Structures are given as structure tokens and as C-alpha cells.
Amino acid sequence: MGLALLVMIWLITFISTYFFAAKTWWLPQGASTSAPGIDHQFAFTYLLMGIVFVAAQCALGYFVWKYRERGAGAVADYSHGNTKLEIVWTALTAILFIGLNLMGSPIWAAERFAPADAGALPVEVTGMQFAWYFRYAGPDGKFGATAPKLMDPSAGNESAIGLDTSDPAAKDDVVTGTMYLPVNRQVDLTLRAVDVIHSFFVPNMRFKQDAVPGLAIHMHFTPTAVGDYEIACAELCGLGHYKMHGMLKVVSAEDFEKWMAAREAEKQ
Amino acid sequence: MAAQDVHAHTAHAHAAPQGFVRKYVFSLDHKVIGLQYFFLALTAVFVGMILSLLMRIHLVWPGAAIPLIGEIKPETYLSLLTMHGTIMVFFVLTTAPQGGFGNYFLPIQIGAPDMAFPVLNMLSFWTTFVAFVVLICAFFVTGGAPLHGWTGYAPLSALTNTGPGEQLGADLWITSIAIFCVASLMGALNFITTTLDLRAKGMTMMRMPLTVWSWFITAILGLLAFGVLLSAGILLLLDRNLGTSFYIPLVVVNGQVMGHKGGSPLLWQHLFWFFGHPEVYIAILPGMGVASQLLSTFSRKPIFGYRAMVYAIMAIGFLGFMVWGHHMFMSGMSPYSAFAFSLMTMAIGVPSAIKTFNWLGTIHRGRVRFQTPMLFAIGFVSLFVSGGLSGPFLAQPTLDIPLHDTAFVVGHFHLIMGVAAIFGMFAATYYWFPKMFGRMMNERWGRIHFFITLVGAYSIFMPMHYLGMAGQPRRYSQFTELAYLHRLIPLNTFMTYAAIVTIAAQFIFVINLFWSMKKGPKASDNPWEATTLEWTTSTPPPHDNFGGMTPVVHHGPYEYSVPGAARDFIMQNDPATVTTSH
Ligand code: HEM
Ligand SMILES: [Cu+2]
Ligand SMILES: [Cu+2]
């Protein structure tokens, strides 16, 4: 029985660890300035936790086998513990966990404490059951007014977010269902939700933030590679949660300008 | 049997009832109430498990026609999800370890004839029962069970037109939870008073078995946490039915402007998780107590670092109230507070690690016996380590960016709070079955049940970490819509097969349980050669637990292999003069 346990626990440990270490399923390809930092912290945490995982499981399997009851002869140690050891492992785990925490903190601070750069591209993201809409301010650089009573989800785009076309600032606002961003330029997001909570999740950008009704949440990231990236919703928002997806197209600065000019032309 | 006719004339004892109703239905006997809780939880865990089976099937074969039910629609998946989570957390994890085993064994382990307030005890069980019935009703009302998940985030849960199931089903759901809170508050009060007031002579706090310590601290957590959830639930009911706006700002649902304004969706999350995080310790602490008790007993060795274990339970309980924000890193809460919550969460890892080291230290140089209860206790340690080590990932806001609300979280909490806690319950069932029913469970089937469940549970829940890393969001009813999820479907299919096997293996347990009640070999009073007080009384214990006597305690709870002693264990009430260190 002791041997069976040892084999089972060790096997579970090694097979589990193999798929982590071989990166068979790992974080998706990163494509933003935050990806390297987050990925590094992830890999480092994984390394440390992996060592503790393998050590603890192997010790467990080994001990139950090694100290199995064998005949009448052997006697268990009569010991109530060891205060010195207790202090040592308390201190070591405290250093390990708190150290890990402090190491990761600068990344969090850079992501979330600092406001967006002055030159960032403002984009408003609106979540509703079950679609994402993206609004660009247009040449005037100002988002026009929206009004709850104008919202008509079935009409899509401008009407879905309730854009008030009588507001001059709204005239040049572009609202789309696909998000276009120029590469290597920071995007200054404003996240909103009109009905329930949604969560704007772009795995390749290492970006996730809830969009909460009643709040306008400001957040930023910088895409670093041209390509198409899927957007998911990561907060349960109703029966269509699983299909509330969108597409982020990161393009060159010129392509972005061209795309934007075409959208403005459509509006005329 | 003769002992049953002798009544202790202490303040808390009451005469053994005669009629069937007073004896088995509205019983005041903590042992009967403990069994009632146990069987309620057993029913609940089977319902919850069948729901999870349907979920796993739908996830990988979305169009499959299920016998009797037909095709599962996305909204049905979410109803199953909500009911699965709610049933498991409240009616299994909170009900069996504390209400069931705690009720039955806490009084006996401290040498008391019953709980401090037997009537309150009965009320708390029947209130829990009502809560369960109300919850199950949600399946059968128009619109069905709610789809907002066990966490019921507002405004999804606070409005009636955000999806099917959000009408009467959601009202029943939150009403059930509110009733459950009332029941748990009554229970908590009883546990705390009993532990503080009814300990036998010589049973100092530092001689209490670690099971008693964990039930005691769990009760304190319950007392502080359930009150908050109760209030939060009442506010939710008001928002839903009386037009208040505690959790609802101005929102437009499907083009319709709702009449609410000014409420805060984050308020619900703060209140919910202020309860919700301590709740995970309510679920797991009793399991830790059982693991400690069993590892010591079956290693024939005193628990390593008894005092450290007690302080660790206290530290976990205390810190557990200061970490709720780690569920909200992505919620729009201030990023500065995320920093503080993260630090506290990492700190709570320390006492958890201490417990693990002490468990390993207990086995080290012991003489391990592999009866089924011990197998599950060893499995508990393994699962606790595996589930615990994904915690430090999620505790870092930086890493929570990719991991929050993905399958990684589902893997983490299933291993540590789901399966580990269930292993604690299995261990407790196999261990105390002889005392409760006077017979032994079948060892061979116990072992088979153990190995299939251990390997099965790892096969279902370990891959969830991989899926989460790859970005698979949780609470998705199918993986067809996002292209990057397609390559994850084969792994999901493997997990569904693993779930089918694991769930099938649970029938081995149930059959063993009921078969052994009738046909198992008769158990002696102390079949495991254990030391705590429940093993000093007859099997099953008489109505007043000790047959008119009041035990006097002379030793700590884990005196195994004491040099110079006649046997390799000294029971707590043994007046032997051998020197022990407690
Ligand atoms: C038979 C074993 C089990 C299986 C196969 C299983 C499977 C699942 C699945 C597939 C989900 C949905 C994940 C998602 O879509 O996000 C889930 C959610 C959940 N499970 Fe289990 N589960 C099992 C046992 C348990 C146990 C023992 C517990 C007790 C803690 C538990 C508690 C939960 C909770 C709290 C949720 C979250 C519900 C929600 O998101 O609202 N499960 N489970
Ligand atoms: Cu969603
Ligand atoms: Cu928590």
C-alpha cells in the first residue's frame, strides 16, 4: 500500500509538472509592452512554486512508503515537534511569499497606477449583452454625448451605445464592432458597460479589466505586433457570455490612418 | 445498551426521547442532528455532482441530447453552474464537515453530554433543510434556476430581465441563501458556547483535539461572515422586488432604461467576498482538523507541533477576514488597495504552509497504517499542496491579469476547497463510521474508491490550470465561438471522460456506506486504537454520550508511542501516570 501510494503520488506530480515545463499549454503569444514583464513574473513564480510542489509531493510519497508499519519491531518516534524547525520554515515561507509579492508589484504599479501617456489614442469600449463596441473621438478629439434613452442594441454601433447625434462633438465619432489600433502606440481606454458587468479580456495583450455599469474605468496598454487578436468577455454577463467576443486588429500607423479616414468618409 | 437507560443529571442533559418523531425527526440529540446534517449533505453532493456531470457533457458535446432532459441550452448550462456551485459550497462544504461531523463529535470529544443549546441545534438543522428545499424549487419555477453563478454579481442578479432564471428562480436562490445564513448563525453560536463552556474536567483548551480547534474557529468565522451575507442578501432582495438601488446604477437592459440609479455593483462584490473568503476557510478548516487527527493516529505518533497548528488555525481565521479583495483585482476597485490585499493574501500562505510542514513532520519517523481513513488523509495533504500552490499566482494582481476568471481559478478552488475538503469528509466518514453506526466499512472497496477518486480528481482539475493559462475563460457554456479555444477542446474532452469515471466511482462509496450499515463487521469501541474521548465510550455512544459518567481528562489528544507506556497509545481519560508532555 505504501509503495502504491508513493508511485501514484509521484506519477501525478511528474505528469502534472511535465505539461507545465514543456509549455504544452502556456500563456498565449504576448503582443504588448506589458507581456514580457508579466510573463517573466509568471515563469519565475512557476519555477518557485514548481520546486515546492515537487519537493512536497515527493516527500509525502516517500515518507508514507519509508515509514510504513513493518511488523511489530519498529517504534514510532515520540516527539511533539521542534520549535526551531517551526521558526525556520515559518521564516522561509514568509520570505518566499512576501518576496514574490514585492517582485511583482512594480509591474502592477506601471500597469495600473500611472495614467495614460499624453500621446495615447483615446478609445471608448462599451460592453452590452452580448457585444463589444469601440468608439473613436474623430478629428475633434472629443467624445460626443450619449443618452440611455437613445440606446438601441438591435441597431448596432452608434445607436447601440446611444450616441446623441444632435451634439456637435458626436458628429465625427466613429463607432465600430471591430477594434483597430495602430501598433506601438499606447491606447487610452475608457471602459463602460450599459447593462451588467462584462470584462474586456485580450489574452495576447495580457489585458483584462471589468467594465462596470455606472463606472468609466480608465486603463491603457500598448500593442507591439501587427496582427489579429481575439477579444473575449471574462465576466459572466448572461446566456450569451460564451459568444460575446470581438476582434482587435493591430495595424501599422499608416493603415490605421487610412482606415480611420475611410470611416470618417462613410459618415459624411 | 444498558448504558442508554442511565441519564447524566447535568444541566445540559435531557432524557432520551421515546417516540419516532422525537427520536429521529425533531431530535434534540446532537448525534442524531449530526447524522441529519450528514445525510442532507450526502443528498446535496449527489445532486451537485450530477449537475456537474451534465455540465461537463455539455461543454464538449454541446448539441448532445441527454435522456429525459434533451439538449442543454447555454442558459441551462449557466443554471446548472449556479446550482452546482451554490449546492456544493453551502449544502455540502458548509453542511457536512461542520453541521455533520462537528455536531456529532465536538461534544463527545470535549466530554460533554450534548450541545449547549439542543433546541437551537435542532432549529438550525431544520432551517438548513428548508433552505435546501427552497433552493431546489428554483429548478421548477418558470424561467428555471438563475444563471448568475454562485457569486451572483449585481446587476445581473439584481434585475429580473437580464436573462432566463432571473425572475422567480433568482428570488428563490437568494432567499435560500438568506435562510441558510440564519441557520449557520444559530449553529455557530452553539458551537462556540459548547466549546467554551462544556469541556470536561481536565480538558484545557490546549488539550483539545485539533478537530475541536478547527470546528471552534470555523464557528467563529461563520458567526462573523454569515451575518454580512445575510444583510447583503436582504439588500439584494429589496433591489429585486421593492425598487431600491443598492447595487444598481442607471442601466439600460436590451434597450430598456431601468428605473434604478445611483447604486454600486461593487458594493455587492465587497459584501459577498467579505463573506466569501472566510467561507472557503469554513469549508476547509474542519478538513484540516480531520487530516491532523488522522495523520497522527495512523502514524502512531503525536502530531508534530500541536501549538504551531493551533496558532496556524487562528492566524488563518484572523487573516482570512482581510483578504477578500483578492477576488476583485480586475473589478475596477482601486489598484492601490489591490496592493494591500495581495500582501495579506501572501501572508495567509504562511500559516497554510506551516500546517503542511507539520503534517509531513507527523508522518516522518512514524509507523504508518494504511487503513482507508488514512489514505484519504494522505490524499488530503497532496491535494492541499497542489491546490495551495496555485494560490500565490492568483494572489499577485500582476498575474491575475491573465488568470482571473479563467479555468485556472476553477482548477485552483476545486483542488483546494472542493476536492481537498471532500477528501476530508471521506476521511471523516471512513474514520468515524464505526462509532456512528457500530460497524466497519469495507476496506477493499474503500481503497478502490480512494485510488480512482485521487487519480480522477487530479485528471479533471489539474488540466484546468493549463486551460486557464491558455486563456480559457470560466463560465463559458461552450468553446466554439472563440477560435483560440478550439485547440483546447481535446483536453476538455479528456476531462469530461475523467469526470464520468470519477463520478461513477462515487457509487462505490455510497454502496459501501449503506451496505456496511447493515452488513459490515461489528466494530469494537476503539477500532483504530485512537486516543480521543469519542473512542472511550461505547459504540454507538449512548444518548448522553458517556452513560451517566463525566470523563476526566489527563492527557493531550495525541499521545502515541509514549516510551514506557503499556500500549502504543494513551487515551485522554487514562489516569496512567506515565509522563507525557501535555
Ligand atoms: C465531480 C466533481 C466535480 C466536477 C466534474 C465539477 C465541475 C465543475 C465545472 C465544469 C464547473 C464550471 C466551471 C465554469 O464553467 O466556470 C464547476 C464550477 C464550480 N464548482 Fe465544481 N465540479 C465538481 C465538484 C465540485 C465540488 C466538490 C465543489 C465544492 C467546492 C465544487 C464547487 C464549484 C463551484 C463553487 C463552482 C463555481 C460555480 C460558479 O462559477 O458560479 N465543484 N464545477
Ligand atoms: Cu460576458
Ligand atoms: Cu478568497
Side-chain angles (χ1 to χ4, degrees):
Chain A
M1 193 46 55
L3 191 63
L5 268 173
L6 176 140
V7 170
M8 208 58 90
I9 294 175
W10 284 25
L11 269 181
I12 289 171
T13 306
F14 294 133
I15 295 174
S16 307
T17 311
Y18 170 79
F19 288 115
F20 282 105
K23 302 198 176 184
T24 319
W25 296 278
W26 195 252
L27 300 171
Q29 183 68 44
S32 71
T33 47
S34 18
I38 294 178
D39 293 9
H40 178 266
Q41 180 69 11
F42 186 88
F44 187 70
T45 305
Y46 173 67
L47 180 72
L48 292 182
M49 294 302 119
I51 292 171
V52 179
F53 172 69
V54 173
Q57 299 285 6
C58 287
L60 177 66
Y62 177 71
F63 285 0
V64 296
W65 168 75
K66 167 95 185 183
Y67 300 109
R68 68 195 182 280
E69 184 169 47
R70 275 180 288 194
V75 201
D77 257 16
Y78 180 68
S79 145
H80 283 90
N82 180 326
T83 311
K84 224 182 265 160
L85 264 180
E86 249 13 288
I87 293 170
V88 169
W89 59 48
T90 306
L92 282 182
T93 33
I95 293 169
L96 174 69
F97 287 173
I98 307 290
L100 209 50
N101 172 278
L102 295 179
M103 263 190 65
S105 302
I107 306 173
W108 177 254
E111 293 283 315
R112 308 267 163 154
F113 293 179
D117 298 343
L121 171 74
V123 179
E124 184 195 68
V125 178
T126 305
M128 67 184 63
Q129 289 181 329
F130 298 97
W132 293 109
Y133 289 106
F134 308 96
R135 177 153 71 130
Y136 301 82
D140 68 354
K142 278 202 226 106
F143 288 116
T146 58
K149 56 180 186 302
L150 297 177
M151 290 180 186
D152 177 8
S154 56
N157 295 356
E158 277 89 350
S159 318
I161 67 164
L163 192 65
D164 181 356
T165 39
S166 64
D167 178 6
K171 289 268 186 294
D172 63 347
D173 285 11
V174 167
V175 183
T176 63
T178 300
M179 187 184 206
Y180 278 77
L181 291 180
V183 71
N184 292 329
R185 174 167 169 202
Q186 197 177 63
V187 51
D188 175 6
L189 295 174
T190 307
L191 290 141
R192 297 178 188 278
V194 307
D195 39 30
V196 300
I197 302 177
H198 304 271
S199 189
F200 188 67
F201 179 29
V202 197
N204 301 89
M205 297 296 137
R206 299 292 183 273
F207 186 88
K208 184 181 288 138
Q209 173 59 48
D210 288 3
V212 183
L215 297 182
I217 298 171
H218 290 273
M219 211 57 67
H220 51 84
F221 69 88
T222 312
T224 53
V226 170
D228 291 355
Y229 306 103
E230 288 185 284
I231 299 166
C233 175
E235 184 60 66
L236 176 58
C237 54
L239 66 92
H241 174 48
Y242 73 101
K243 58 181 179 195
M244 179 165 167
H245 60 107
M247 190 57 91
L248 162 60
K249 287 180 180 290
V250 177
V251 296
S252 66
E254 302 83 72
D255 287 350
F256 180 75
E257 290 311 326
K258 267 191 241 154
W259 173 80
M260 188 49 98
R263 294 290 80 74
E264 291 296 345
E266 272 172 17
K267 292 213 65 158
Q268 301 314 311
Chain B
M1 278 295 129
Q4 238 158 7
D5 303 318
V6 186
H7 306 305
H9 295 279
T10 65
H12 298 280
H14 39 83
Q18 300 310 327
F20 178 81
V21 171
R22 295 302 307 279
K23 214 164 162 181
Y24 298 111
V25 183
F26 297 111
S27 172
L28 299 180
D29 183 341
H30 70 100
K31 297 186 287 301
V32 178
I33 298 172
L35 289 176
Q36 289 173 323
Y37 269 114
F38 175 79
F39 285 109
L40 176 65
L42 192 67
T43 313
V45 80
F46 266 79
V47 177
M49 200 174 72
I50 299 304
L51 300 183
S52 73
L53 180 65
L54 295 174
M55 279 151 65
R56 286 265 24 131
I57 290 175
H58 172 79
L59 282 174
V60 297
W61 302 297
I66 315 272
L68 301 180
I69 304 173
E71 190 180 320
I72 296 176
K73 295 193 295 258
E75 56 270 36
T76 317
Y77 174 84
L78 294 175
S79 299
L80 297 174
L81 170 81
T82 306
M83 296 295 269
H84 165 78
T86 309
I87 288 174
M88 289 296 195
V89 171
F90 292 98
F91 295 98
V92 179
L93 298 185
T94 315
T95 299
Q98 187 80 359
F101 295 111
N103 231 317
Y104 199 117
F105 289 104
L106 182 137
I108 311 187
Q109 286 197 330
I110 60 172
D114 202 328
M115 280 282 187
F117 311 114
V119 178
L120 195 68
N121 203 15
M122 174 186 78
L123 277 178
S124 96
F125 169 74
W126 284 106
T127 312
T128 309
F129 182 81
V130 170
F132 185 64
V133 173
V134 170
L135 183 67
I136 295 299
C137 285
F139 272 122
F140 302 103
V141 298
T142 343
L147 49 61
H148 53 229
W150 87 281
T151 51
Y153 276 16
L156 183 60
S157 62
L159 295 163
T160 52
N161 60 344
T162 46
E166 293 306 315
Q167 295 93 35
L168 190 52
D171 284 316
L172 289 173
W173 174 82
I174 188 62
T175 306
S176 162
I177 289 180
I179 299 173
F180 187 91
C181 290
V182 174
S184 299
L185 288 173
M186 294 193 267
L189 221 64
N190 220 342
F191 274 68
I192 296 170
T193 317
T194 305
T195 312
L196 291 178
D197 279 0
L198 296 191
R199 296 193 314 278
K201 186 156 174 278
M203 179 60 83
T204 58
M205 293 295 268
M206 280 304 181
R207 275 182 180 168
M208 295 195 314
L210 288 170
T211 38
V212 174
W213 268 110
S214 55
W215 288 318
F216 175 57
I217 301 289
T218 300
I220 296 175
L221 295 186
L223 192 68
L224 298 174
F226 279 108
V228 175
L229 183 64
L230 177 59
S231 332
I234 292 172
L235 298 188
L236 185 62
L237 272 170
L238 293 178
D239 269 9
R240 294 180 50 83
N241 296 298
L242 295 183
T244 56
S245 299
F246 292 104
Y247 307 124
I248 318 173
L250 197 165
V251 292
V252 184
V253 178
N254 202 12
Q256 184 190 346
V257 183
M258 307 304 291
H260 298 267
K261 62 169 185 277
S264 161
L266 262 63
L267 174 62
W268 168 263
Q269 296 184 28
H270 280 294
L271 294 175
F272 183 85
W273 289 116
F274 186 83
F275 146 81
H277 194 84
E279 166 62 24
V280 309
Y281 293 109
I282 290 174
I284 198 68
L285 280 178
M288 293 174 151
V290 168
S292 308
Q293 169 100 1
L294 270 61
L295 288 171
S296 170
T297 303
F298 290 90
S299 299
R300 316 307 295 162
K301 210 177 144 241
I303 190 84
F304 195 94
Y306 175 88
R307 270 169 196 279
M309 289 301 235
V310 171
Y311 297 142
I313 301 175
M314 290 179 179
I316 289 174
F318 179 68
L319 291 172
F321 278 103
M322 289 185 266
V323 299
W324 79 90
H326 64 208
H327 299 271
M328 297 175 62
F329 291 149
M330 302 299 130
S331 68
M333 171 184 82
S334 154
Y336 298 96
S337 58
F339 194 79
F341 282 123
S342 166
L343 205 63
M344 295 314 280
T345 306
M346 286 302 216
I348 211 170
V350 176
S352 311
I354 293 175
K355 301 207 67 108
T356 308
F357 287 126
N358 284 329
W359 288 325
L360 291 175
T362 303
I363 302 173
H364 187 246
R365 308 184 69 116
R367 222 151 55 89
V368 181
R369 295 176 180 172
F370 296 109
Q371 279 113 332
T372 311
M374 179 61 163
L375 296 182
F376 278 97
I378 294 168
F380 176 93
V381 176
S382 170
L383 289 158
F384 187 77
V385 169
S386 305
L389 287 172
S390 51
F393 288 80
L394 297 167
Q396 300 180 53
T398 319
L399 301 186
D400 205 38
I401 298 172
L403 298 178
H404 175 71
D405 260 341
T406 66
F408 192 95
V409 179
V410 184
H412 162 71
F413 76 68
H414 271 97
L415 281 187
I416 195 148
M417 153 177 111
V419 191
I422 295 269
F423 267 51
M425 287 178 229
F426 281 140
T429 309
Y430 284 103
Y431 178 68
W432 278 314
F433 183 91
K435 188 52 69 180
M436 297 190 293
F437 300 105
R439 291 172 187 273
M440 306 297 291
M441 283 180 80
N442 185 292
E443 270 294 312
R444 173 202 294 251
W445 287 107
R447 286 174 181 184
I448 294 174
H449 172 226
F450 166 75
F451 277 109
I452 302 181
T453 309
L454 182 74
V455 175
Y458 269 113
S459 309
I460 306 169
F461 298 113
M462 188 55 89
M464 287 195 182
H465 298 86
Y466 311 141
L467 296 173
M469 290 188 315
Q472 178 179 303
R474 69 187 279 205
R475 294 168 168 174
Y476 268 32
S477 64
Q478 54 199 62
F479 309 119
T480 48
E481 303 301 309
L482 282 157
Y484 78 90
L485 296 179
H486 292 170
R487 79 184 179 96
L488 305 176
I489 291 179
L491 186 56
N492 273 294
T493 310
F494 165 78
M495 291 154 63
T496 295
Y497 284 119
I500 293 171
V501 173
T502 314
I503 288 171
Q506 303 319 306
F507 288 92
I508 300 177
F509 168 74
V510 186
I511 293 169
N512 191 351
L513 187 76
F514 287 103
W515 185 86
S516 303
M517 269 180 214
K518 293 264 172 287
K519 297 278 167 66
K522 281 255 187 294
S524 64
D525 285 350
N526 188 7
W528 314 118
E529 303 187 302
T531 52
T532 45
L533 292 182
E534 75 273 31
W535 305 108
T536 64
T537 185
S538 59
T539 284
H543 177 70
D544 68 352
N545 294 343
F546 296 96
M549 322 220 287
T550 335
V552 179
V553 173
H554 300 276
H555 306 278
Y558 303 114
E559 294 301 337
Y560 292 100
S561 304
V562 183
R567 295 175 301 186
D568 78 343
F569 62 105
I570 297 177
M571 305 197 67
Q572 283 198 275
N573 68 344
D574 189 339
T577 46
V578 186
T579 31
T580 59
S581 26
H582 281 284

